[in-house]
Amino acid sequence: MTVYTVGDYLLDRLVELGVEHVFGVPGDYNLEFLDHIVAHPDLRWVGNANELNAGYAADGYGRLRGMAAVVTTFGVGELSVANAIAGSYAEHVPVVHIVGGPSKDAQGTRRALHHSLGDGDFEHFLRISREITCAQASLMPATATREIDRVLSEVREQKQPGYLLLPTDVARFETEPPAAPLPRYTGGTSPRALALFADAATELIGEHQLTVLADFLVHRLHAVDELEALLAADVVPHATLMWGKSLVDESSPNFLGIYAGAASAEPVRRAIEEAPVLVTAGVVFTDMVSGFFSQRIDPARTIDIGAEQSTVGTQVFAPVELPAALTALTEILDRRAVKSPAITPTADDVSRDPPERERPLSQEVLWDRLCDALTPGNVVLADQGTSFYGMAAHRLPRGVTFIGQPLWGSIGYTLPAMLGAGLAHPDRRPVLLIGDGAAQLTVQELGVISREKLSPVVVVVNNDGYTVERAIHGKTAPYNDIVSWDWSKVAAALGVTNQLTFRAKTYGELDDALTAAAEHQDRMVLVEAVVPRFDIPELLIELARPTSPDGSARR
């Protein structure tokens, strides 16, 4: 008769929360637990090239699926993944980090066990995890299932990582399967606070046209439907921050563009900062998405909707959850008799002629052509740097999802995250945009991506070094140089067996490569796009200027 264990209980709870793939790297303290993952009928083990990549992959998966899991071994493995877990914490991505640890009996001896610091203290790394996770537990037999439920519930509610230290003997400890689903947190909105908020918002809005600035928390808090209902209730001009890019339909005539404070396109800046009434929904201003906090928004004309409270002017209403506040605003627009005037299309909506085929590639030509190549369903992952800021100002087709990491900003993140995103939605083709320097950090995962039978389009922007850093300081400094790779051979060397590789130095070569990518949906297509070393997207120039020593980005 098969024994049902604490490890099985944890896996069943993960499946309940929507997890179908578990990322990680084997180590002797987690091997028996991995046997249970492999044997589970509803889970697939995805072994990664290293722990950092595993964490990035889990992050990409969690952004699209709403929950992810990564397994490492004690000490060496969990510290290797810590950078990725910290990024998930900063950017509100629910990832469960499961650490296979020494048995409780072995820990009790306080001996110098491998992967420990040798001092008999086996909670060093648990204490570290408290700084980058929303809930933690070192599991013990008597309370393991209760603690698993507590940590998983917090991860689901707070949309941040959780940490479970699973000793080998606790993992195999016999227990009972879950008797009921994990209880959901309910009742987070006070009816009275919501009613007072609606009254204050009604008075401020009056007959004014509403303008909306939305950000990533709308997505993380599962309020996209409520936002779309608000935008459909009237003619509502709207924009997002770069953090929330693709949150709304960017092909809509009511979409203004990306707001980045003083670095915004002037029509977008005026529309947001001079709006008679502005709604900021799920907005978190960070340095790199706000033009270094250069936003000029008048609180007196602003309705700010946060995760658990909303403000109208200077009045604060709490507890009011974000979806409920958005619905209240929709009802206000639905009730009033006046309708706002339609928006006149801007110059951005005008189609452009393609460049001559012989024209050398530039940042502008590259991002224009890539944007034209995207189709509904693509998941675009743009690494922090010229890729992220080059694409940020371009309108994406409806149905395209954009993933970046503008707050944590760990270069190389998007390549393994593409694995997670691709497995989260295998019917959607990932498109990776990454600089040559960033790709060198995590490129090992290309082999795993091929093994998992994904067929992404990978665009490596070869601008010969760390261009963002060149823009900030050290234009020709040696520390911003990298070793030049032969990208035509990299994929095959890493075990990719079904791939096409292109090197594009002109518009025509790029056009040919992207045309071939569209014709070969079942193959990985790697395009090395060669652009000038000091060619920098305009948005990045504006954003980098305040960080350079003389206050202006060097070209």
Side-chain angles (χ1 to χ4, degrees):
M1 179 173 142
T2 303
V3 175
Y4 188 88
T5 67
V6 168
D8 296 320
Y9 184 97
L10 171 55
L11 297 178
D12 283 345
R13 282 303 200 200
L14 291 174
V15 170
E16 177 189 330
L17 295 176
V19 173
E20 295 180 0
H21 299 80
V22 179
F23 303 92
V25 176
D28 57 345
Y29 290 132
N30 65 29
L31 292 176
E32 286 187 38
F33 178 60
L34 298 191
D35 287 337
H36 288 250
I37 296 175
V38 172
H40 198 288
D42 299 315
L43 288 173
R44 174 177 169 79
W45 167 252
V46 182
N48 298 94
N50 58 57
E51 289 90 353
L52 177 60
N53 285 4
Y56 288 154
D59 183 292
Y61 190 91
R63 288 178 190 237
L64 295 186
R65 291 294 289 265
M67 186 64 67
V70 60
V71 177
T72 67
T73 197
F74 181 77
V76 293
E78 60 182 306
L79 292 186
S80 291
V81 83
N83 177 22
I85 296 298
S88 298
Y89 184 84
E91 302 217 348
H92 292 266
V93 182
V95 176
V96 182
H97 181 195
I98 303 162
V99 177
S103 69
K104 283 294 184 183
D105 288 343
Q107 292 183 45
T109 67
R110 296 187 63 82
R111 292 178 176 174
L113 302 182
H114 65 284
H115 297 340
S116 76
L117 298 184
D119 60 359
D121 183 347
F122 294 94
E123 294 195 346
H124 284 295
F125 314 124
L126 170 64
R127 291 193 291 271
I128 290 173
S129 77
R130 289 175 182 151
E131 298 295 330
I132 54 174
T133 58
C134 69
Q136 315 81 32
S138 177
L139 298 179
M140 303 182 67
T143 58
T145 58
R146 185 167 70 244
E147 286 290 86
I148 288 169
D149 286 358
R150 176 183 64 82
V151 171
L152 295 187
S153 294
E154 288 298 312
V155 172
R156 180 177 63 183
E157 298 302 329
Q158 297 192 40
K159 309 296 185 294
Q160 288 180 313
Y163 175 97
L164 290 170
L165 178 58
L166 181 63
T168 54
D169 51 350
V170 177
R172 68 172 77 101
F173 190 79
E174 187 173 356
T175 191
E176 296 295 324
L182 276 174
R184 283 198 168 272
Y185 172 70
T186 58
T189 294
S190 159
R192 183 174 184 276
L194 181 61
L196 292 172
F197 164 75
D199 289 343
T202 300
E203 182 178 352
L204 180 62
I205 294 170
E207 297 186 355
H208 295 300
Q209 183 171 53
L210 206 62
T211 301
V212 172
L213 176 62
D215 200 15
F216 81 110
L217 280 180
V218 173
H219 172 265
R220 300 292 197 274
L221 298 174
H222 306 296
V224 174
D225 290 345
E226 287 83 356
L227 175 63
E228 289 179 347
L230 174 61
L231 300 182
D234 193 1
V235 176
V236 181
H238 53 274
T240 68
L241 300 179
M242 285 179 277
W243 209 352
K245 187 169 177 60
S246 78
L247 175 66
V248 300
D249 177 9
E250 297 187 359
S251 66
S252 167
N254 298 334
F255 179 65
L256 298 166
I258 296 297
Y259 177 73
S264 309
E266 187 59 18
V268 180
R269 188 199 63 76
R270 286 199 309 270
I272 294 299
E273 297 182 359
E274 298 175 10
V277 178
L278 177 67
V279 173
T280 52
V283 167
V284 178
F285 287 113
T286 73
D287 51 3
M288 293 301 289
V289 302
S290 67
F292 284 85
F293 306 109
S294 61
Q295 72 273 14
R296 297 292 179 264
I297 293 174
D298 182 1
R301 294 184 284 111
T302 300
I303 300 171
D304 180 57
I305 302 176
E308 296 173 346
Q309 72 174 34
S310 293
T311 63
V312 179
T314 58
Q315 302 175 76
V316 180
F317 303 92
V320 175
E321 293 183 320
L322 188 145
L326 289 174
T327 298
L329 295 181
T330 301
E331 292 169 353
I332 292 171
L333 295 188
D334 284 338
R335 284 196 303 266
R336 69 180 189 174
V338 63
K339 292 297 178 184
S340 301
I343 297 175
T344 303
T346 66
D348 291 340
D349 301 317
V350 177
S351 61
R352 57 187 178 273
D353 294 328
E356 297 293 329
R357 287 184 57 83
E358 296 75 23
R359 179 174 173 179
L361 273 190
S362 65
Q363 292 280 343
E364 180 182 4
V365 169
L366 172 60
W367 307 123
D368 285 349
R369 180 62 182 91
L370 276 168
C371 194
D372 290 341
L374 297 175
T375 57
N378 283 146
V379 178
V380 178
L381 301 101
D383 213 80
Q384 194 70 6
T386 60
S387 297
F388 182 84
Y389 297 104
M391 281 297 288
H394 285 72
R395 294 191 176 213
L396 301 177
R398 180 178 177 86
V400 171
T401 298
F402 185 84
I403 293 177
Q405 201 189 43
L407 175 57
W408 189 240
S410 186
I411 66 169
Y413 154 79
T414 53
L415 197 153
M418 174 177 64
L419 169 65
L423 292 175
H425 288 293
D427 57 327
R428 304 180 64 183
R429 192 180 199 187
V431 177
L432 172 66
L433 314 175
I434 189 168
D436 50 354
Q440 289 187 11
L441 271 68
T442 54
V443 72
Q444 311 95 320
E445 217 62 25
L446 281 181
V448 179
I449 290 165
S450 175
R451 185 197 67 202
E452 296 300 316
K453 296 181 169 51
L454 300 179
S455 54
V457 178
V458 177
V459 179
V460 177
V461 183
N462 183 346
N463 50 11
D464 194 27
Y466 297 126
T467 298
V468 174
E469 282 71 19
R470 295 191 199 282
I472 297 170
H473 180 73
K475 182 176 180 179
T476 59
Y479 46 73
N480 288 328
D481 296 337
I482 62 172
V483 175
S484 180
W485 285 13
D486 184 347
W487 288 99
S488 67
K489 299 177 181 176
V490 167
L494 293 171
V496 180
T497 57
N498 187 24
Q499 47 109 356
L500 294 173
T501 303
F502 298 87
R503 191 169 197 265
K505 299 181 69 174
T506 66
Y507 171 80
E509 291 170 341
L510 177 66
D511 184 65
D512 291 343
L514 296 180
T515 299
E519 293 172 349
H520 294 86
Q521 296 284 328
D522 61 340
R523 303 180 72 174
M524 180 187 297
V525 178
L526 189 150
V527 182
E528 179 189 1
V530 182
V531 299
R533 175 189 273 200
F534 302 119
D535 186 17
I536 304 170
E538 283 299 319
L539 178 57
L540 182 54
I541 291 173
E542 292 299 319
L543 289 170
R545 184 170 288 119
T547 67
S548 59
D550 63 355
S552 62
R554 292 176 170 83
R555 295 175 185 250

